[in-house]
Amino acid sequence: MRGRAVLGSLWALALALPATAQDAAAPRAPADAVPPLVVDTRSAGAERGFPPIMTIDQERLFMGSLWGQRVQAEVERRSREIAAENERLASQFAAEEQELTTLRGTLPPEEFRQRADEFDKRVVAVRRERDTVARDLDAQVEQERTAFLRAALPVLAQVMEERGAVVVLDQSAIFVSAQSVDVTGVLIDRINRDIGAGKPVATSGQAAPQPQPQSQPPAAGAASGGPTP
């Protein structure tokens, strides 16, 4: 006797995993969710003592894989770079603001206001650019997760067939279950063996060129403490 195993609920959730490898926020429904995976399974799994239900911990699956570890290392590296650049820009803007504040008493009002307006515009532009850099990193991680889960589908289907499972559930949706139904560790071993770390996913776009603070005194908001990027 053959059954039909449907993975719709699992992979609808799987493709909506958190935006970053360090973020455990609730998943969002993806716009490009793949249709449910249907696998023909045999009753031999039950005869060998395997239960008809399997569960996985999606976060542990990704983070325990060589693929997820590669992505995590890249996220940490890029996050350090972004934080260092943000700090550099903030320090440079603070110095420029202080310089402009010092010049306020010596510059004609119109010239000071012009410099202050130029400073404000550059601060706003840099802040927007830095926000874009952070969003691009989040998008890249989400693309990596989606690619990983798509690549893992055949491995999961193979394990289902071997065990005669008829459904796979995400552990986050389960109140209590027997330990024997959790196949996360099995999948991690299989995926690492068959897929490895994967190749970096090409991003859909690159960050815009970074606006740089200028050496001349700029300034908006200098009198009130001024904006920071």
Side-chain angles (χ1 to χ4, degrees):
M1 180 178 180
R2 302 171 70 87
R4 297 184 67 79
V6 182
L7 296 172
S9 60
L10 166 68
W11 291 101
L13 287 173
L15 291 178
L17 279 169
T20 68
Q22 299 170 321
D23 182 9
R28 304 186 305 275
D32 60 343
V34 296
L37 175 67
V38 179
V39 180
D40 287 334
T41 60
R42 300 177 176 83
S43 59
E47 295 173 358
R48 291 191 300 240
F50 292 125
I53 295 176
M54 300 191 318
T55 67
I56 65 169
D57 181 333
Q58 295 184 51
E59 183 66 14
R60 184 162 72 90
L61 179 64
F62 182 67
M63 297 306 297
S65 69
L66 295 175
W67 192 315
Q69 291 166 16
R70 170 181 60 78
V71 173
Q72 177 72 7
E74 175 64 13
V75 167
E76 292 176 353
R77 183 186 68 80
R78 289 286 296 121
S79 295
R80 289 193 297 268
E81 291 178 350
I82 291 171
E85 181 64 8
N86 288 348
E87 184 176 354
R88 184 189 71 80
L89 289 167
S91 297
Q92 187 161 344
F93 276 131
E96 291 185 15
E97 184 179 59
Q98 181 58 45
E99 183 179 1
L100 184 61
T101 300
T102 301
L103 292 174
R104 184 170 190 174
T106 61
L107 292 175
E110 286 302 319
E111 183 178 350
F112 175 81
R113 175 47 52 191
Q114 180 180 359
R115 292 192 180 191
D117 289 344
E118 290 173 354
F119 179 70
D120 272 346
K121 289 177 182 178
R122 290 192 298 107
V123 168
V124 169
V126 168
R127 180 180 296 158
R128 288 175 178 170
E129 185 273 332
R130 301 313 295 169
D131 287 345
T132 298
V133 168
R135 286 195 300 270
D136 285 348
L137 180 58
D138 287 346
Q140 181 179 357
V141 174
E142 187 169 358
Q143 290 169 3
E144 288 278 7
R145 282 178 175 266
T146 300
F148 167 77
L149 290 169
R150 289 183 185 276
L153 276 172
V155 180
L156 178 58
Q158 182 181 33
V159 174
M160 286 187 68
E161 185 170 1
E162 291 171 1
R163 291 174 173 247
V166 296
V167 68
V168 179
L169 300 175
D170 180 36
Q171 285 189 2
S172 65
I174 297 174
F175 179 68
V176 64
S177 68
Q179 186 176 2
S180 61
V181 304
D182 179 14
V183 296
T184 305
V186 173
L187 285 174
I188 289 173
D189 291 341
R190 293 278 189 95
I191 290 169
N192 286 347
R193 181 193 69 190
D194 298 345
I195 301 175
K199 295 181 179 180
V201 176
T203 56
S204 56
Q206 299 296 329
Q210 175 180 298
Q212 296 292 329
Q214 300 172 7
S215 57
Q216 67 181 44
S224 59
T228 56

